[in-house]
Amino acid sequence: MKKENLDKIGNVFYVICRISIGLFFFITGYNKLFHPVFQGYMLNTITKLGFPNPQLMANFVAFNEAFWGLLLLLGLLTRLSSLSLIVIMLVALISKDLHAIPTELIPVDPKTGIYPMDQFTWLTYFFFLPQVLYIMLLGLFSLYGYKALGLDHFLRRKKDQYL
């Protein structure tokens, strides 16, 4: 297969990933803002983490997920929206999800004893967290921008026409 064809396929896959991740953040943020069940989950999580003014913080985070997710979905301000979503994911990862990684391994047969967590097993748990994957993909979007099929592309083309 020619390199040009692989580049085109790679760009299509990149755009599908960007749109999918943007849609994911838009939907989850929207649900946390307007769906009573998700509002409750979000408020409960923020309250348990001890953030001040949990209702305001829950709405702030949900709004930002939806807003920046929509911009990423549209390919508008792609780098800025990716970086904003990375900040949200880093806060979630550090404040909540890293603490979910166990410190010891309990085997199926308790007679064999409890094993301490080694670094490689800890990394397995770490990379299994979805936030880590989102941060990696968002990092790519922040570095490469919209690539194709984004409003940034059309705005840049319009800007170049007038210069």
Side-chain angles (χ1 to χ4, degrees):
M1 193 176 279
K2 293 182 181 178
K3 183 179 179 342
E4 299 85 34
N5 291 339
L6 285 175
D7 287 344
K8 288 178 185 177
I9 292 169
N11 286 343
V12 169
F13 184 72
Y14 178 89
V15 169
I16 290 169
C17 288
R18 180 185 51 81
I19 289 171
S20 299
I21 299 295
L23 184 61
F24 165 77
F25 278 105
F26 174 70
I27 291 171
T28 57
Y30 181 88
N31 280 339
K32 290 173 188 174
L33 278 174
F34 299 110
H35 193 285
V37 172
F38 292 102
Q39 286 173 337
Y41 286 146
M42 184 68 173
L43 182 59
N44 189 31
T45 300
I46 296 288
T47 303
K48 283 181 180 177
L49 292 173
F51 283 97
N53 200 345
Q55 184 64 60
L56 177 67
M57 186 60 71
N59 289 337
F60 177 77
V61 172
F63 172 79
N64 276 288
E65 277 187 38
F67 178 74
W68 296 113
L70 178 63
L71 292 185
L72 185 63
L73 168 69
L74 298 173
L76 181 61
L77 301 175
T78 303
R79 288 187 166 107
L80 180 61
S81 60
S82 298
L83 289 172
S84 300
L85 291 167
I86 285 173
V87 170
I88 293 171
M89 288 290 93
L90 281 173
V91 171
L93 182 67
I94 292 167
S95 65
K96 180 178 174 276
D97 297 306
L98 282 180
H99 305 295
I101 297 175
T103 56
E104 54 191 19
L105 300 172
I106 301 171
V108 175
D109 182 9
K111 294 175 189 168
T112 62
I114 296 173
Y115 299 95
M117 179 73 73
D118 61 86
Q119 292 103 347
F120 293 113
T121 306
W122 188 90
L123 277 174
T124 301
Y125 278 94
F126 177 74
F127 286 121
F128 193 71
L129 295 170
Q131 288 78 356
V132 175
L133 179 61
Y134 291 134
I135 290 168
M136 288 183 197
L137 287 169
L138 290 166
L140 286 174
F141 304 148
S142 67
L143 292 172
Y144 291 109
Y146 59 86
K147 278 278 196 190
L149 283 176
L151 292 179
D152 287 342
H153 176 72
F154 297 111
L155 293 174
R156 182 175 200 132
R157 195 180 320 161
K158 288 276 187 198
K159 180 182 165 190
D160 290 345
Q161 285 177 350
Y162 292 112
L163 295 179

